[in-house]
Amino acid sequence: MQALFLRAALLPLLLLQAVSPAPVAGRTGAAGRPPALTYDELLTLYDRETPPEPLRRKLQSLLTTPFVSNEATERGTRPAAPRSERLGRFLRVVQWNVERGLEYEAIEAAFVSPHRFAELIDGADYRPGSPARAAALEQAAMLQAADIVVLNEVDWGLKRTGYRNVAADLAAALGMNYAFGVEFVEVDPIALGIEKFTGEEAGGDKALAEQIRVDPERYLGLHGTAILSRYPLENVRLVPFKFQGHDWYADERKGRSPLEKGRRKASEVAFRTKTGREVRRGGRMMLLADISDPAFPGGRLTVVATHLEAKTKPANRVRQLREVLDEIAGVRHAVVLAGDMNTSTRDDTPTSLAREFKKRLGSRKFWAEQLVKHTTGFTLPFGFVRGGINHYRKQGDPTVRHVPFVAANPEAKFFTELKEFRFADGGAFDFRGDEDRSSGTAGTLSNSNERGGKGFATTYEVERAIGFVGKFKLDWIFVKPPVSPAGEPGAGSQTYRFAPHFGRTLKELNFSFPDRISDHSPLLVDLPLEEPPRL
């Protein structure tokens, strides 16, 4: 899901935050790093569909070359490697879509300073002594024990986040190494400061409709995914997907159809969601890094951070997943795959009358419904009830079975392929759900991702959810543990060393800040460095 651009662009308080001095120097490009684009080049990337060849090459370098820093290790940083009675020493991994880093101070405090985080907590709903406040502070303490952090939606050099280099600033605060991969270069005219909000985009507020002033010397427009680690990062690579489910330049630049405007307006009224135009260069990708340490089984771990497309249909996310799996198929050691997978079970392709007509003409489900309606007399109530029941069935659990015509779940294919995939050494992603190794309800994938009373603990919700409507499980951590000679991968007889344990969704922490820290809640999972005791 994309964050609210209007909110993102118009937070004047962010301009008062301390900012990294890196953007200006970044234009020249440090050793081994691609040079950032000048402001004039960014204007050209918006104006010209086909940029001049030197600029095209420069853009391509940004979109395929990661920024990497192992300075924390050079300064003497070592892994925390926390210990617990249940697991012994373990590696804690966190994943968080930080919504650009709009609430950077709260994010940093949650990871670094319990005292500062406590001061920022909402005093009305999270009063001192309340269970909610205690839960939020407990979850902040959990974040502080993380040795690997995967971040989605990370800004560098955008006004909406005070021109911060969010990944570098957060890594410095945590004493971590980092890798940052550019997913998009933001060239929307509003972000660039060359266009005003219309009255409609500003909700009728004339003050908000004024032109945004942008500092051309500090604007870099970089947005992407990061891996932070207390271990040195090796063999870091940035791999754009060959298949992109949405063209963030051409499709966004040409604007929205009247039907799409109507759909978004209805969503805004019902759920207070506002999705602005976002003209960008680039596309979805994966960022990979290897970590070597003798404490890991086989001495090595590959971390894969990705962010799959939201504005497309589930089948296209499967295509992107296949590219991830092809990239790591030959790995013979442990793997952590984490990120915002956008598993909404919905087709959020921007729509038009032509597309809706084509979708219905080509839909067996649509014509099956027409047959039932005309033969049984059920019309609107039939479709409404069937749709409502199926939505409730999928709510919070995009892994549920796909039943054609009756209970469709087009996202199910994603999890089937992930579960059936085998690495070169015969290993597989751990789908186990043990009651004594899960934080919530036991079930498929509950060791690595927290389940609730129904489905998984949701990680994303719109500003005003209506009951369970508007809440989704979009973010995931998947783990390939060592291969055990005893039994099928993922079976109960497989080793639990470096296997996922006690996956958590830190919703109380995220919602403890006024207006939330991010529109996504963070996740964590623990990987024991030795075979844990029987639990």
Side-chain angles (χ1 to χ4, degrees), residues 307-353:
H307 190 176
L308 304 186
E309 186 54 68
K311 292 187 178 184
T312 193
K313 54 189 178 181
N316 288 337
R317 284 189 284 275
V318 172
R319 293 180 67 175
Q320 292 181 331
L321 173 68
R322 287 171 182 160
E323 290 191 42
V324 173
L325 299 179
D326 286 346
E327 184 71 23
I328 59 177
V331 174
R332 294 179 175 272
H333 49 259
V335 174
V336 170
L337 168 61
D340 179 355
M341 311 291 180
N342 274 310
T343 48
S344 65
T345 75
R346 296 154 42 105
D347 179 355
D348 282 328
T349 306
T351 195
S352 64
L353 284 172

Side-chain angles (χ1 to χ4, degrees), residues 498-513:
F498 223 69
H501 283 73
F502 308 118
R504 291 285 300 269
T505 299
L506 309 185
K507 190 170 289 189
E508 288 81 5
L509 176 144
N510 192 44
F511 279 79
S512 67
F513 193 77

Side-chain angles (χ1 to χ4, degrees), residues 170-459:
L170 188 59
L174 273 64
M176 286 185 163
N177 307 303
Y178 76 92
F180 173 71
V182 178
E183 186 173 22
F184 296 111
V185 178
E186 306 281 4
V187 295
D188 191 276
I190 291 178
L192 288 168
I194 59 174
E195 182 180 300
K196 295 180 179 180
F197 279 106
T198 65
E200 178 186 355
E201 289 169 327
D205 189 323
K206 291 183 180 180
L208 295 183
E210 289 301 311
Q211 182 175 359
I212 301 172
R213 296 181 183 274
V214 168
D215 184 347
E217 294 300 315
R218 299 166 70 195
Y219 187 94
L220 299 179
L222 306 181
H223 180 80
T225 288
I227 300 171
L228 279 57
S229 169
R230 289 196 175 92
Y231 299 89
L233 297 170
E234 307 169 3
N235 190 27
V236 181
R237 52 262 194 224
L238 169 57
V239 184
F241 290 129
K242 297 182 181 70
F243 174 78
Q244 299 289 339
H246 179 67
D247 188 330
W248 284 88
Y249 178 77
D251 291 347
E252 296 288 311
R253 196 166 188 263
K254 71 184 179 185
R256 302 189 292 268
S257 69
L259 188 63
E260 178 64 14
K261 287 181 179 179
R263 185 176 80 163
R264 294 191 185 194
K265 186 64 177 177
S267 176
E268 180 186 343
V269 171
F271 304 112
R272 294 182 184 166
T273 61
K274 196 171 190 64
T275 308
R277 177 199 64 200
E278 293 179 280
V279 182
R280 301 160 144 182
R281 292 285 191 167
R284 303 298 185 182
M285 52 72 159
M286 59 186 118
L287 179 68
L288 305 94
D290 293 338
I291 297 172
S292 298
D293 193 277
F296 299 163
R300 202 164 184 82
L301 166 67
T302 293
V303 179
V304 186
T306 192
H307 190 176
L308 304 186
E309 186 54 68
K311 292 187 178 184
T312 193
K313 54 189 178 181
N316 288 337
R317 284 189 284 275
V318 172
R319 293 180 67 175
Q320 292 181 331
L321 173 68
R322 287 171 182 160
E323 290 191 42
V324 173
L325 299 179
D326 286 346
E327 184 71 23
I328 59 177
V331 174
R332 294 179 175 272
H333 49 259
V335 174
V336 170
L337 168 61
D340 179 355
M341 311 291 180
N342 274 310
T343 48
S344 65
T345 75
R346 296 154 42 105
D347 179 355
D348 282 328
T349 306
T351 195
S352 64
L353 284 172
R355 182 172 179 271
E356 292 301 310
F357 185 68
K358 180 180 178 181
K359 187 165 67 175
R360 280 160 175 74
L361 281 178
S363 169
R364 290 179 296 172
K365 181 185 75 173
F366 175 78
W367 292 111
E369 285 183 6
Q370 306 313 304
L371 177 63
V372 172
K373 291 175 185 178
H374 287 291
T375 56
T376 65
F378 289 107
T379 53
L380 178 62
F382 170 79
F384 181 79
V385 171
R386 185 199 61 78
I389 291 173
N390 196 37
H391 184 87
Y392 179 76
R393 172 177 169 266
K394 294 184 295 185
Q395 172 52 31
D397 192 355
T399 71
V400 295
R401 185 168 164 245
H402 171 67
V403 184
F405 308 122
V406 179
N409 176 22
E411 212 77 66
K413 180 70 172 173
F414 180 97
F415 295 93
T416 300
E417 296 225 358
L418 194 68
K419 185 176 183 179
E420 293 177 352
F421 177 75
R422 295 294 179 267
F423 290 82
D425 62 356
F429 286 106
D430 197 324
F431 269 62
R432 286 177 289 188
D434 305 306
E435 185 175 357
D436 54 357
R437 300 177 192 270
S438 300
S439 295
T441 305
T444 299
L445 282 168
S446 65
N447 288 10
S448 49
N449 294 269
E450 182 180 359
R451 281 182 171 269
K454 183 191 181 305
F456 291 88
T458 52
T459 60

